């Protein structure tokens, strides 16, 4: 059962790490930003919850479990802050959660005895296949959202209210 949680944890964390730069670097914080952001939050929650079921290091509660709880809280605060219009606090919480995920990912990737280094040595082809699949799926998701999810302006452009608001050409 632990292996299942490790897989969920690793795949979700990879999505979190890959989607965040798109969110941060895009200039417009529109409907697409919210769409990707909501999927990012779901992935971050999956990382935190699945992490609570992984006890491969010591067999007991560790600092990583505490960090998962902390990250769950900061991500939730980020959602609450944006709903209350506190953009600066939202950015602080979300970027902080992402940087924490990168730090934890680096620890998981480079510290001997962890799953990623073991797989890299025992079956590097499997590791690179998993990485490629995660990158491709995350990219496809981002391209889908950016290509097919309409922006706020596009969404309302065809509505009857928008047609009434536009003056007629003379």
């Amino acid at each position: 059962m632990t292996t299942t949680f490790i897989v969920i944890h690793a795949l979700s964390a990879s999505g979190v790490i890959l989607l965040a730069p798109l969110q941060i670097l895009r200039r417009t914080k529109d409907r697409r930003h919210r769409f990707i952001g909501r999927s990012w939050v779901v992935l971050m929650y999956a990382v935190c919850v699945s992490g609570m079921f992984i006890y491969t290091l010591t067999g007991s509660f560790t600092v990583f479990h505490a960090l998962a709880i902390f990250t769950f809280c900061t991500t939730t605060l980020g959602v609450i802050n944006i709903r209350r219009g506190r953009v600066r606090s939202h950015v602080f919480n979300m970027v902080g959660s992402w940087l924490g995920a990168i730090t934890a990912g680096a620890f998981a990737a480079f510290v001997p005895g962890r799953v990623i280094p073991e797989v890299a040595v025992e079956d590097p082809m499997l590791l690179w296949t998993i990485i490629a699949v995660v990158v491709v799926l995350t990219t496809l998701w981002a391209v889908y959202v950016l290509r097919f999810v309409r922006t706020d302006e596009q969404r309302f452009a065809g509505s009857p209210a928008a047609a009434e608001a536009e003056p007629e050409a003379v």
Side-chain angles (χ1 to χ4, degrees):
M1 189 67 162
T2 299
T3 304
T4 303
F5 288 116
I6 291 172
V7 169
I8 292 168
H9 187 75
L11 294 177
S12 299
S14 299
V16 162
I17 290 169
L18 293 171
L19 285 176
L22 177 65
Q23 289 294 83
I24 294 166
L25 296 175
R26 282 188 72 238
R27 289 187 75 200
T28 55
K29 307 304 182 197
D30 55 7
R31 188 166 183 253
R32 294 171 179 158
H33 177 86
R34 291 189 301 273
F35 206 87
I36 292 173
R38 288 177 178 133
S39 59
W40 186 89
V41 168
V42 168
L43 288 172
M44 184 59 89
Y45 285 158
V47 170
C48 295
V49 171
S50 63
M52 297 305 295
F53 295 96
I54 301 171
Y55 291 94
T56 56
L57 285 177
T58 64
S60 62
F61 191 86
T62 66
V63 68
F64 297 106
H65 296 97
L67 289 172
I69 293 168
F70 178 76
T71 302
F72 192 93
C73 292
T74 58
T75 301
T76 302
L77 284 173
V79 172
I80 291 168
N81 282 325
I82 199 61
R83 288 185 178 259
R84 292 184 177 168
R86 299 178 188 154
V87 175
R88 190 176 176 110
S89 295
H90 166 75
V91 170
F92 178 79
N93 286 124
M94 296 311 196
V95 171
S97 295
W98 175 60
L99 292 174
I102 290 173
T103 304
F107 178 81
F110 300 117
V111 173
R114 304 282 292 170
V115 173
I116 295 173
E118 287 178 7
V119 173
V121 171
E122 294 171 11
D123 195 352
M125 189 60 148
L126 173 65
L127 179 65
W128 287 109
T129 301
I130 292 169
I131 290 170
V133 167
V134 169
V135 168
V136 167
L137 290 175
T138 305
T139 302
L140 288 173
W141 174 247
V143 167
Y144 170 78
V145 171
L146 295 175
R147 178 75 176 108
F148 296 108
V149 172
R150 294 194 285 173
T151 62
D152 296 330
E153 296 82 24
Q154 292 169 329
R155 200 169 118 207
F156 296 116
S159 70
E164 291 173 14
E166 292 180 18
E168 292 184 29
V170 179

